Amino acid sequence: MSENILRVEDLHMSFFTSAGEVKAVGGVTFDVRKGEVLGIVGESGSGKSATMLSVMGLQGTSGRIKSGRIMFNDEDMSMMNMNEIRGRKISMIFQDPMTSLNPVLTIGYQLEEALRRHKWKGDIHSRALEMLERVGVVPAEKRIKQYPHEFSGGQRQRIMIAMAMICEPELLIADEPTTALDVTVQAQILDLMKELQKSSGMSVILITHDLGVIAGNADRVLVMYGGQIMEMGTRHDIFYSSAHPYTKGLLRSVPNPDMPKERLIPIEGQPPDLLNPPKGCPYVKRCPEAMKICMNQKPERIMLSESHCYSCWLGVKNNA
């Protein structure tokens, strides 16, 4: 068995809407190693969440995987019963904790539901209490009987983490887990996830637009734009040896603690329209270094090291 828990190969996924086909994911290939935290970063609409919804089989009735392959523990997920996989082998924390819980059911009922569905061997109620205590929602005996409206946003996010981890999954997908939370609570939630990840040895995919979250938590990083991967490497590769113009643009547009007086430079323009995506590089209209070939041909992937690669015609030109 390989060291990869997840392998996504040349994934193409579209949403079919009244306006036309939205090509949300356009040929994404990456892997997730056992026990690692993989960060996926990019602007809104870059394909981060759409890729993960495809992995979970939650792209909805309007979404369809057009081609590609998703492997989990060396098995093709298209041949698996996803109802048995979701929650038990792979869990997902969704973006908004304020709307992700059912308002008419107690926290205890919602926590125990996954255990019942997956035929947990052991006392279900005790397991639910244990997870509430582990995520810091106490006193657990009292709080397990309460409803979502009786909890703050940070507490609801802790409950979502408990719910995602209650069946001890091998892979946790956290989609913007600190959205709408204040800075102090954000730090607490991220520390909690890091602690649980280390104690359980599970793999984590951390989706965010916040480079600070990536810098403090990810082992490796994917930089996505326009439904494609622009650059991929270790945390050090991305933050200290970035190669793609888009990655460099992202880093210039956020504060650098090491250079507090450095002027921030925003990325001009708008993300591409995925109803009619560019033929070539999706970043071409915003790239200060774009060439004619960038308009018409998708760039090749350039390997800078065993861990670091990017897709850009500048790299092809420089290596010629």
Side-chain angles (χ1 to χ4, degrees), residues 228-231 243-246 278-285 287 289-304 309-320:
Q228 298 176 38
I229 295 174
M230 300 288 99
E231 189 164 357
H244 199 283
Y246 178 60
K279 291 181 181 178
C281 176
Y283 190 54
V284 62
K285 291 187 177 180
C287 181
E289 302 178 75
M291 302 177 291
K292 187 174 181 180
I293 193 173
C294 303
M295 295 287 294
N296 302 308
Q297 293 186 43
K298 287 190 175 182
E300 299 174 10
R301 180 171 284 190
I302 305 297
M303 296 301 301
L304 297 172
C309 64
Y310 73 119
S311 299
C312 183
W313 284 114
L314 282 172
V316 178
K317 178 184 175 182
N318 294 337
N319 290 346

Side-chain angles (χ1 to χ4, degrees), residues 10-118:
D10 196 25
L11 179 67
H12 291 257
M13 193 277 277
S14 294
F15 292 106
F16 293 86
T17 71
S18 57
E21 179 184 353
V22 179
K23 297 173 182 175
V25 183
V28 166
T29 297
F30 66 93
D31 53 54
V32 182
R33 297 165 190 164
K34 293 177 181 178
E36 82 165 343
V37 178
L38 178 72
I40 304 182
V41 67
E43 294 172 84
S44 296
S46 62
K48 308 183 300 296
S49 297
T51 300
M52 290 305 107
L53 289 173
S54 300
V55 169
M56 294 290 289
L58 295 174
Q59 63 270 26
T61 54
S62 65
R64 188 169 81 232
I65 295 175
K66 299 182 70 179
S67 62
R69 190 165 66 154
I70 303 172
M71 307 288 290
F72 180 71
N73 280 332
D74 297 330
E75 294 185 47
D76 192 331
M77 291 190 72
S78 67
M79 309 301 291
M80 295 180 176
N81 181 344
M82 291 305 296
N83 288 329
E84 294 180 3
I85 296 296
R86 284 192 292 260
R88 182 67 186 91
K89 298 289 186 180
I90 308 175
S91 284
M92 189 166 182
I93 302 170
F94 295 95
Q95 282 195 30
D96 189 359
M98 304 305 284
T99 58
S100 295
L101 295 168
N102 191 322
V104 300
L105 299 175
T106 65
I107 295 304
Y109 184 92
Q110 295 181 66
L111 280 168
E112 293 169 12
E113 185 177 17
L115 297 171
R116 287 191 294 270
R117 177 178 292 274
H118 294 292

Side-chain angles (χ1 to χ4, degrees), residues 127-258:
R127 175 64 177 169
L129 288 172
E130 176 194 347
M131 285 307 302
L132 278 184
E133 288 173 355
R134 285 188 71 187
V135 299
V137 179
V138 291
E141 280 282 7
K142 175 185 176 183
R143 309 236 69 183
I144 201 169
K145 302 172 186 176
Q146 295 179 322
Y147 291 84
H149 73 271
E150 298 178 78
F151 295 85
S152 67
Q155 290 171 326
R156 292 191 208 188
Q157 192 62 292
R158 288 172 181 269
I159 292 165
M160 290 298 299
I161 293 171
M163 196 175 294
M165 294 191 62
I166 199 164
C167 289
E168 299 179 340
E170 296 174 48
L171 174 63
L172 176 67
I173 300 171
D175 189 356
E176 302 278 8
T178 57
T179 296
L181 303 178
D182 64 57
V183 176
T184 303
V185 177
Q186 279 186 22
Q188 292 172 355
I189 294 297
L190 291 168
D191 286 346
L192 171 63
M193 287 183 58
K194 191 182 296 185
E195 177 190 330
L196 293 173
Q197 185 263 336
K198 286 182 178 178
S199 65
S200 65
M202 69 178 174
S203 303
V204 174
I205 298 176
L206 179 59
I207 304 170
T208 183
H209 61 270
D210 189 331
L211 286 168
V213 169
I214 291 292
N217 296 275
D219 299 311
R220 288 192 302 134
V221 185
L222 303 186
V223 181
M224 289 192 69
Y225 183 82
Q228 298 176 38
I229 295 174
M230 300 288 99
E231 189 164 357
M232 178 165 41
T234 65
R235 180 173 54 194
H236 188 275
D237 291 333
I238 298 301
F239 284 92
Y240 296 101
S241 304
S242 57
H244 199 283
Y246 178 60
T247 309
K248 293 177 180 178
L250 284 179
L251 292 170
R252 286 194 299 265
S253 66
V254 296
N256 184 345
D258 297 328

